[in-house]
Amino acid sequence: MNERPGPDPTHGVTLQAMIEHLVERYGWPGLGARIDIRCFTHDPSVASSLKFLRRTPWARAKVESLYRHSVAHPRKHTRPDES
C-alpha cells in the first residue's frame, strides 16, 4: 500500500511561532535543557533566539525537530477544578 505521511507540521509555521510554542510548553529553562544553546540558556528572548537560529542551520533543525515532536505529542491539560 502507498501510505503517505501526514502533512509536515512545520509547513506555514514561522520560526517565531515555533519558539513561542516551545517556550509556552517547556519554558526557557526546559527548552534550554532540551536544546543546549546559549540563546535559550543565558538571558533568553525570542528576538535573540531568532537572530541566532536564522544564521545557524544545525540549531534551527533541532528547534524544528523538537517542535514536530511537541505537536505530535500534545500534553493533556487538566485544570485542578476539573474532574
Side-chain angles (χ1 to χ4, degrees), residues 24-66:
E24 182 178 317
R25 179 164 178 167
Y26 302 113
W28 287 112
L31 186 54
R34 286 166 177 81
I35 304 173
D36 188 19
I37 51 179
R38 286 186 62 87
C39 67
F40 295 156
T41 61
H42 294 81
D43 195 26
S45 72
V46 172
S48 67
S49 298
L50 286 171
K51 184 176 180 180
F52 177 75
L53 294 169
R54 285 181 177 143
R55 58 185 168 84
T56 315
W58 64 264
R60 181 179 181 140
K62 288 184 177 215
V63 168
E64 290 174 352
S65 177
L66 183 58

Side-chain angles (χ1 to χ4, degrees), residues 14-25 28 46 50:
T14 65
L15 184 56
Q16 181 174 345
M18 286 183 213
I19 293 168
E20 290 170 350
H21 168 83
L22 294 171
V23 170
E24 182 178 317
R25 179 164 178 167
W28 287 112
V46 172
L50 286 171

